[in-house]
Amino acid sequence: MADDFTPQDSPLSRAYSDGNHTVNIDIYEDGDGGWLLEIVDEHNNTTVWEDAFETDEDALQEALDALKEEGVGAFIGPAESSGGWEAP
């Protein structure tokens, strides 16, 4: 039953730091035998890969390759705005 599925996190999920920034590499089951990959920044913005990976090791390698190639800064989004007044 799909309604009873609770995704399990991979033990390969981890924090990744470079310079002054840290992101979390989250890898978890998709319920169909694959693994999903998500990178979460310090402001809780996420980058999610659309396709599942065959193994959690494949997902981790993709994340590490992307972070090294593009740099952590490419995965850091803006801090959430309070919605209040901002100085011009």
Side-chain angles (χ1 to χ4, degrees), residues 1-13:
M1 295 169 126
D3 292 339
D4 293 337
F5 176 72
T6 302
Q8 296 295 314
D9 289 333
S10 166
L12 299 178
S13 295

Side-chain angles (χ1 to χ4, degrees), residues 18-75:
D18 184 21
N20 294 329
H21 296 291
T22 299
V23 296
N24 289 318
I25 301 171
D26 293 337
I27 304 167
Y28 46 92
E29 293 177 319
D30 69 357
D32 292 322
W35 293 89
L36 301 174
L37 172 60
E38 180 176 15
I39 294 180
V40 183
D41 74 8
E42 58 221 23
H43 307 297
N44 217 25
N45 297 303
T46 62
T47 302
V48 180
W49 274 248
E50 290 183 19
D51 297 324
F53 294 86
E54 283 189 35
T55 68
D56 56 347
E57 292 94 352
D58 290 341
L60 176 61
Q61 190 60 55
E62 174 67 23
L64 294 174
D65 289 347
L67 287 162
K68 288 176 185 169
E69 184 176 309
E70 298 179 38
V72 173
F75 295 92

